[in-house]
Amino acid sequence: MAADEVGMLLGIPGEMEKLIETVRDIQCVLSDAEQKQTSSSAIKRWLLQLKDVMYDADDLMDICRIKAEDRHGRYDFLSSSKVSCGIRFLSCFHNPLFAHKIGKRIKDLNSSMDEISKKKSDLGLVELQDVVRPFNTSHEYSDISRQTDPSVALADLVGGKIEEDTDLLVKWLTLEEMSGKENVSAVAIVGMPGIGKTTLAKRVFNDPRIQEVFHLKFWVCVSKDLKGVELLKCIIREAGGNHGAAEERSELVSMLERLVRGKKFILVLDDVWPGSQNVWDDLLRVPMNGGAHGSRLLVTTRDDRVVRFMHAKASHQVEKLLEKDGWCLLIKQVALDETESEILKDIGLELVKKCDGVPLAIKAIGGVLRMKGKNRADWKKIIKSTLWSLADLSSDFPHAFYLSYEDLPSHLKQCFVLCSLYPEDTVFERSELVYLWLAEGFLCDDGALSFLELGIEYYKELIVRNLLEVSGGYYDQICCKMHDLWRSFAGYLGNGDNFIMREGELPSRSEPLLKLRRLSIEGTVVDLDFLNKEKYLRTLLLVYNSMGEFLSNALVSFSHLRIVDLYKSNISSLPDSFCGLVHLRYLDLTGSLLIALPNSIGKLRNLVFLGLGGCLWLSDFPSSIVNLLELRFLSFHNTTIEVFPVGLRKLEKLVELHGFKPDTNNSKGLSSLEDIGNLSQLSKLILCSLEKASDITVAKEAKLKEKGQLKTLILSYTPNQGREDPTTFEEKKVAQDVLNALSPPPSLEILQIIGYFGLQLPNWLHVGINLSNFQFLRFLELTECECISQLPPVGQLPNLDLLRIKRCNISYKYRTRIFIG
């Protein structure tokens, strides 16, 4: 900011310069403070106080920017630091009353910053040479471990002990004598957090002997937050069923009963906690007893009480890794070759000893070592860290966790801790995490990389460090989870300004005098007295929460909110006053009971993320939605919205658009495919109900070929059973012509075509003609495409690593040739 001009306008000459200088002085010692905070509660408290004041400064700058926009138009808040010194920013201070209030707040900020700055010498903080490590794009991500799904990474399987344990459990599960009189009997795997219970269960689940015996296999992670109806839905999906819009417990129980009736199944209930073990007796026993005799329940738990409550016929205790197996795991994590292993073995074995045979701790150290060189000097620095010997650290977590966290650069520490606010076993989609980090101010366009590219690099590094774990079943590692123990650890670290409010728990924070900035509410009972005092919240999560409707009016009192996540909540409407949350960047209503959006939605000028996917009752948009000019992400996929108000082309900053349906008749006031033509920043585009597109000229105006940032394209048609009449020859010809006109750009990496019924595949997919058109394509999926009797020469695509063909009319002889090839 032009500090002298601002100071004069506010009547506080010199105050802005003073604030700037104080901030610069503090910045010099931040690296030292971050390194020392783990071993010093005084330094940790100092950092929390500094962060608290800087949040206030952030709010202050945002208000000034918004006022400036009101007078002189808009500019991009992602790069506002480059613009804020201009006249437009300063003009917001010409209102005397506003200038007086802002001037007082800046003086108060200075006073607080002075107090914080004076303490840095007393704490012994010094300036360090802060080296910002560049991202290492040469990392191999293919060996990253996966969690809470049945896929298991080879890097997690070490030693002969896991084979012995697998054989024992397979024997128990397949032995007829273990069945008893009941159709379903249980076997349990027990062990401390991070010991490898889930890895062993995965190994058993995927064993060929299990495949031979059981007709139906399904896997469900039973978190503390997943109960009742949601758990039933999850099991139905895993068993291959479709619960549709069913919400009643009785209806879902009947569905599950029909799915398993007469079938010999194995159900894995992963991570059952005391208190949730009654899901079997109270919820699942009756519908699942209809399975064939010899069906099995495999339970993993950290508590012996669960074994008793679930009447397990047998239980297996997972032991800590032997030293040699721990070293083998570390080798796999760091990808050492034979020569490197010999050179580093003595240090590596010492590190394994410090991890006390706990696989998750060894993986934590492995994540640190991945970022270092494969040399003795770097490994010795890890050995010599004082964190191994500190006695005042919480004993709930391995010392390796503290060392792993300390090694993180500052920007990743913030991103990591934010993930802990979400419920246990949450599946994070990569781009949604990036938008969360963006909304909190952890990302910006830096010139070299866009916010999305930068966020993806952050995501990859957190995975490489084993702080996030890739979730199986998704291409390109686009989804991840956080291990329970890491989640608890991140929550412990963020307890100064973050709080997870659980049902029946009283608020308790490590620094109660600081303002609460982030709140996650789990359960259906909220302490309103507590909530009403927290007026400085930036983030509020009500995921899977039935309090959404009750709290929707209360939310407007939290005027500093930047993130509101109401995923799968029972909220049906937003009050007009909600749209007064001028700081709001992220609003997720995915899967909620939302019926309508208020017309005032257009006032949320800073909104970058609007998630409405799966809102089955939402049928239209207010026209004001086209005023959300900062939107980068917009999803209304799987809603009943048929058309978008005219003006989609105004949302030029959109990076992801999910669920757009072309208007049938290009009616006045409604958007058609040509409105996409102006959206040049799109990276992901999902087009639905493409059978409605009948104008080839309009389809060409979508200008997909010119969208040089487009990486993912999904083209979807309404399935046969969803269309009223059989498809005519003319309709097939039109569908083919329209798809030919929607030719994608060479930048494309992922392409899915679903339900296409044209006469033949589009001309541009005959890749043999011009390979350069798809030189970056890595994933191609064709699902329910009637016209496909044989494939074009996709084997010529230079970078294709996954071809998925589902429910297409390819002959058996040709299919055999494809998969052999």
Side-chain angles (χ1 to χ4, degrees):
M1 294 177 62
D4 52 347
E5 292 183 59
V6 173
M8 293 301 295
L9 284 166
L10 297 179
I12 49 168
E15 289 290 328
M16 288 302 298
E17 290 93 332
K18 184 179 177 183
L19 181 60
I20 291 167
E21 287 304 313
T22 306
V23 170
R24 284 175 179 162
D25 287 344
I26 291 173
Q27 280 179 323
C28 293
V29 301
L30 273 181
S31 294
D32 189 37
E34 285 196 326
Q35 288 187 21
K36 292 176 178 176
Q37 65 171 318
T38 313
S39 56
S40 170
S41 57
I43 292 176
K44 181 179 180 180
R45 191 160 50 249
W46 180 83
L47 278 170
L48 288 172
Q49 290 168 350
L50 172 62
K51 189 191 294 186
D52 204 46
V53 174
M54 293 311 294
Y55 281 142
D56 291 338
D58 191 28
D59 288 340
L60 187 61
M61 293 300 101
D62 214 34
I63 289 169
C64 291
R65 182 182 56 78
I66 290 166
K67 286 287 184 181
E69 283 181 9
D70 288 341
R71 287 177 61 90
H72 289 278
R74 308 182 55 80
Y75 59 89
D76 191 342
F77 83 83
L78 286 184
S79 55
S80 59
S81 59
K82 302 170 188 174
V83 185
S84 59
C85 59
I87 297 301
R88 287 180 294 178
F89 191 92
L90 300 179
S91 67
C92 71
F93 299 121
H94 284 298
N95 180 322
L97 182 59
F98 179 77
H100 174 74
K101 290 171 66 176
I102 294 297
K104 184 180 183 306
R105 287 180 64 179
I106 290 174
K107 277 189 171 183
D108 291 342
L109 273 175
N110 254 337
S111 177
S112 299
M113 290 295 286
D114 272 345
E115 291 298 314
I116 291 170
S117 184
K118 287 173 184 175
K119 292 179 183 177
K120 68 181 190 296
S121 298
D122 298 335
L123 294 169
L125 298 176
V126 296
E127 183 175 353
L128 298 179
Q129 188 67 32
D130 190 16
V131 179
V132 179
R133 289 165 293 198
F135 290 108
N136 187 348
T137 55
S138 66
H139 282 301
E140 293 293 335
Y141 300 117
S142 60
D143 64 343
I144 296 167
S145 61
R146 299 174 178 183
Q147 176 67 16
T148 56
D149 58 72
S151 304
V152 59
L154 294 177
D156 290 344
L157 302 177
V158 293
K161 188 66 169 66
I162 195 168
E163 293 301 327
E164 294 173 14
D165 293 348
T166 300
D167 288 341
L168 177 63
L169 285 161
V170 169
K171 180 181 177 182
W172 285 349
L173 291 166
T174 57
L175 196 64
E176 197 63 33
E177 287 78 3
M178 292 284 290
S179 299
K181 295 181 180 179
E182 293 187 351
N183 285 349
V184 186
S185 57
V187 172
I189 299 174
V190 186
M192 63 185 288
I195 199 68
K197 300 183 297 295
T198 299
T199 298
L200 177 58
K202 290 176 183 179
R203 180 70 182 83
V204 172
F205 189 82
N206 291 301
D207 191 281
R209 291 166 289 182
I210 295 293
Q211 308 269 17
E212 291 172 8
V213 171
F214 296 99
H215 310 141
L216 185 63
K217 302 193 322 167
F218 40 115
W219 177 291
V220 178
C221 190
V222 186
S223 69
K224 288 184 289 186
D225 311 298
L226 189 63
K227 297 175 183 176
V229 168
E230 288 301 326
L231 179 59
L232 284 168
K233 287 181 181 178
C234 187
I235 294 176
I236 289 169
R237 289 194 301 269
E238 289 297 315
N242 182 5
H243 54 72
E247 292 292 335
E248 293 298 322
R249 173 170 165 164
S250 58
E251 187 179 359
L252 293 165
V253 165
S254 297
M255 285 184 188
L256 181 57
E257 189 174 18
R258 289 194 297 272
L259 279 169
V260 302
R261 187 178 298 150
K263 296 176 183 175
K264 192 172 182 179
F265 66 81
I266 179 170
L267 167 61
V268 178
L269 295 179
D270 188 31
D271 199 21
V272 179
W273 285 71
S276 60
Q277 74 274 353
N278 61 345
V279 297
W280 176 249
D281 280 331
D282 296 348
L283 189 68
L284 301 178
R285 182 182 292 276
V286 171
M288 304 207 73
N289 260 333
H293 189 265
S295 294
R296 292 288 186 267
L297 192 63
L298 180 59
V299 177
T300 73
T301 182
R302 61 185 68 180
D303 198 302
D304 286 314
R305 288 174 293 173
V306 172
V307 180
R308 296 193 300 272
F309 285 132
M310 299 196 76
H311 313 292
K313 297 285 186 182
S315 66
H316 173 71
Q317 184 80 33
V318 182
E319 305 294 340
K320 293 179 180 179
L321 287 178
L322 298 173
E323 191 175 285
K324 63 176 182 178
D325 292 340
W327 170 230
C328 183
L329 177 59
L330 190 61
I331 287 173
K332 287 192 173 187
Q333 294 298 312
V334 190
L336 298 178
D337 61 30
E338 192 172 340
T339 303
E340 291 164 341
S341 299
E342 284 301 315
I343 294 171
L344 296 166
K345 185 173 182 179
D346 59 326
I347 308 175
L349 286 172
E350 195 173 343
L351 284 169
V352 168
K353 285 180 185 177
K354 288 183 177 294
C355 293
D356 194 27
V358 178
L360 198 63
I362 295 171
K363 288 171 66 178
I365 290 301
V368 174
L369 293 174
R370 281 184 187 182
M371 310 306 295
K372 311 291 183 185
K374 295 177 182 179
N375 59 73
R376 293 180 65 84
D378 284 330
W379 283 42
K380 279 185 175 179
K381 288 178 184 175
I382 306 295
I383 285 282
K384 292 177 180 178
S385 172
T386 57
L387 288 171
W388 293 112
S389 57
L390 285 179
D392 56 348
L393 300 178
S394 172
S395 59
D396 293 337
F397 312 106
H399 280 62
F401 278 26
Y402 295 94
L403 196 147
S404 178
Y405 178 74
E406 186 187 71
D407 190 65
L408 283 174
S410 299
H411 55 271
L412 288 184
K413 287 177 178 173
Q414 300 178 100
C415 297
F416 168 66
V417 169
L418 185 65
C419 296
S420 68
L421 288 170
Y422 280 83
E424 184 183 318
D425 298 306
T426 294
V427 176
F428 294 105
E429 204 280 326
R430 181 174 62 196
S431 70
E432 291 177 8
L433 264 185
V434 172
Y435 290 108
L436 281 168
W437 297 336
L438 174 67
E440 269 284 4
F442 303 159
L443 295 171
C444 63
D445 289 307
D446 69 349
L449 295 174
S450 70
F451 78 87
L452 184 59
E453 293 168 327
L454 190 63
I456 289 173
E457 292 298 333
Y458 286 11
Y459 176 88
K460 287 179 178 179
E461 185 166 347
L462 287 172
I463 286 175
V464 166
R465 289 173 173 273
N466 289 326
L467 300 178
L468 296 177
E469 298 183 339
V470 174
S471 183
Y474 302 93
Y475 178 70
D476 199 28
Q477 301 177 349
I478 61 167
C479 290
C480 70
K481 291 187 178 183
M482 179 179 263
H483 191 281
D484 294 347
L485 200 58
W486 275 120
R487 177 178 178 263
S488 298
F489 180 67
Y492 165 76
L493 295 170
N495 197 27
D497 50 8
N498 299 350
F499 181 61
I500 299 175
M501 180 184 261
R502 296 185 177 91
E503 194 166 323
E505 291 186 7
L506 294 174
S508 174
R509 304 207 306 277
S510 60
E511 293 296 327
L513 297 179
L514 300 182
K515 303 182 187 83
L516 187 66
R517 304 294 178 168
R518 302 181 188 92
L519 176 64
S520 176
I521 299 177
E522 298 178 3
T524 57
V525 178
V526 178
D527 187 327
L528 292 179
D529 290 336
F530 161 74
L531 199 60
N532 288 331
K533 296 173 185 175
E534 304 298 340
K535 301 300 183 185
Y536 290 89
L537 286 177
R538 294 166 65 94
T539 294
L540 181 61
L541 309 182
L542 289 164
V543 181
Y544 292 113
N545 199 293
S546 59
M547 298 292 291
E549 190 72 22
F550 176 72
L551 290 175
S552 61
N553 287 296
L555 291 178
V556 298
S557 62
F558 305 114
S559 60
H560 298 270
L561 280 172
R562 281 162 167 72
I563 295 173
V564 173
D565 195 335
L566 299 167
Y567 178 80
K568 287 198 173 180
S569 75
N570 68 336
I571 191 167
S572 61
S573 63
L574 294 174
D576 279 329
S577 53
F578 183 87
C579 300
L581 299 174
V582 294
H583 297 286
L584 196 65
R585 265 81 165 160
Y586 185 104
L587 177 58
D588 193 0
L589 295 156
T590 302
S592 70
L593 302 181
L594 191 71
I595 296 171
L597 288 167
N599 196 52
S600 55
I601 189 80
K603 294 179 181 178
L604 295 176
R605 62 179 71 186
N606 290 316
L607 205 63
V608 296
F609 181 101
L610 180 56
L612 301 166
C615 292
L616 301 177
W617 304 104
L618 187 64
S619 58
D620 59 17
F621 279 121
S623 58
S624 66
I625 197 165
V626 300
N627 296 326
L628 301 177
L629 302 183
E630 292 293 338
L631 270 186
R632 267 68 170 185
F633 179 101
L634 174 60
S635 174
F636 46 99
H637 198 210
N638 294 326
T639 66
T640 53
I641 294 172
E642 294 296 326
V643 289
F644 195 90
V646 69
L648 177 66
R649 64 184 61 201
K650 292 168 63 178
L651 307 182
E652 296 179 2
K653 296 179 182 178
L654 274 178
V655 174
E656 296 193 36
L657 176 61
H658 302 184
F660 181 80
K661 299 176 182 178
D663 177 40
T664 310
N665 301 310
N666 298 335
S667 307
K668 186 177 180 181
L670 302 173
S671 286
S672 64
L673 283 171
E674 63 185 340
D675 288 294
I676 298 173
N678 203 42
L679 308 181
S680 60
Q681 301 303 310
L682 284 176
S683 174
K684 181 174 181 178
L685 175 62
I686 301 178
L687 297 177
C688 300
S689 301
L690 277 173
E691 71 279 356
K692 295 180 179 180
S694 56
D695 192 319
I696 301 168
T697 304
V698 172
K700 287 180 179 178
E701 288 301 311
K703 299 179 182 177
L704 296 192
K705 191 82 170 179
E706 299 174 18
K707 301 188 189 311
Q709 307 297 319
L710 193 64
K711 300 288 194 300
T712 301
L713 177 63
I714 300 175
L715 303 169
S716 177
Y717 297 75
T718 303
N720 263 331
Q721 60 269 28
R723 298 197 292 269
E724 294 180 2
D725 302 308
T727 309
T728 64
F729 176 85
E730 289 75 17
E731 288 171 331
K732 291 183 177 183
K733 180 67 168 64
V734 169
Q736 179 181 319
D737 291 341
V738 168
L739 195 54
N740 278 331
L742 294 173
S743 177
S747 59
L748 202 67
E749 296 179 7
I750 296 172
L751 173 64
Q752 294 173 264
I753 302 177
I754 303 168
Y756 172 61
F757 55 87
L759 296 172
Q760 62 179 28
L761 285 172
N763 296 334
W764 44 264
L765 200 52
H766 290 275
V767 293
I769 298 171
N770 189 354
L771 280 176
S772 64
N773 285 344
F774 294 104
Q775 60 180 314
F776 301 112
L777 193 67
R778 296 182 290 118
F779 173 40
L780 173 61
E781 178 180 315
L782 303 169
T783 299
E784 294 183 356
C785 295
E786 300 172 5
C787 63
I788 302 178
S789 58
Q790 63 178 34
L791 287 175
V794 291
Q796 298 178 28
L797 290 166
N799 290 302
L800 190 70
D801 61 40
L802 178 59
L803 170 64
R804 183 178 290 160
I805 305 166
K806 298 161 64 177
R807 299 186 293 280
C808 293
N809 297 322
I810 296 176
S811 68
Y812 176 79
K813 180 179 179 181
Y814 191 75
R815 280 205 308 273
T816 305
R817 195 148 45 86
I818 292 169
F819 292 115
I820 288 176

